[in-house]
Amino acid sequence: MAESVVLDPVDLHLLRLLQNDARTTYRDLAARVGVAPSTCLDRVTRLRRSGVILGHRLELDPAKLGRGLEALLSVQVRPHRRELVGPFVERIRALPESRTVFHLTGPDDYLVHVAVSDMTDLQRLVLDEFTSQREVARVETRLIFQQWECGPLLPPTPSAQTQ
């Protein structure tokens, strides 16, 4: 398990602001947090170096890219052995339809978030890219009607850690 980094209230405020808009300038961040721009730059640089900030991502609308149907595929791989798991994950990650792959505990080994153009495309993806693989024992498909982003990810508060 990765070691956590100690963050003070200024760091937490910076992280909240950056998670809401990663394009915010250092000058605007500094003004909103109440520190000098050079201090803001130093803190964000430290947060990057320490691995708290992993990167910046561009968010796209799948529907506007012709991939308006999203689904979650629960996949069971048998046998679940390292020599099969690695190549399976890399093959799934390389698919243009794949958005996220989760390795799970429980009866399903993987949960794969996919975005496709329509039901026919989803059927093709499941049959040609998943169930046709020898190691895939089972696939269950769940359509996503709607999804919501949640608030910024911050460390647990001390009271939440003691409960």
Side-chain angles (χ1 to χ4, degrees), residues 7-20:
L7 303 171
D8 68 16
V10 173
D11 293 330
L12 294 173
H13 195 178
L14 286 169
L15 291 172
R16 260 189 217 94
L17 293 170
L18 286 170
Q19 284 186 80
N20 289 327

Side-chain angles (χ1 to χ4, degrees), residues 17-71:
L17 293 170
L18 286 170
Q19 284 186 80
N20 289 327
D21 184 0
R23 296 180 303 163
T24 305
T25 65
Y26 289 116
R27 179 179 302 204
D28 289 342
L29 282 172
R32 291 179 69 187
V33 174
V35 298
S38 60
T39 301
C40 181
L41 175 62
D42 289 345
R43 283 179 173 262
V44 172
T45 300
R46 181 180 51 80
L47 291 167
R48 281 193 186 105
R49 283 192 186 131
S50 65
V52 172
I53 297 176
L54 297 176
H56 305 278
R57 292 188 172 90
L58 181 65
E59 191 173 340
L60 303 175
D61 183 342
K64 291 187 177 167
L65 295 173
R67 296 182 181 276
L69 181 64
E70 294 185 70

Side-chain angles (χ1 to χ4, degrees), residues 85-149:
V85 164
F88 171 78
V89 170
E90 290 311 309
R91 187 171 53 252
I92 298 311
R93 289 185 65 210
L95 295 172
E97 298 88 355
S98 294
R99 308 273 323 264
T100 311
V101 180
F102 299 94
H103 192 188
L104 309 172
T105 62
D108 297 317
D109 300 312
Y110 296 94
L111 184 65
V112 184
H113 178 191
V114 299
V116 295
S117 58
D118 55 27
M119 289 296 284
T120 302
D121 195 26
L122 179 60
Q123 181 182 27
R124 176 209 49 82
L125 179 70
V126 170
L127 293 175
D128 295 347
E129 302 295 344
F130 285 86
T131 60
S132 66
Q133 303 303 315
R134 187 176 323 143
E135 68 273 18
V136 174
R138 184 178 57 78
V139 175
E140 285 186 18
T141 304
R142 292 170 179 84
L143 298 180
I144 298 173
F145 291 137
Q146 192 171 3
Q147 67 186 39
W148 296 267
E149 292 295 322

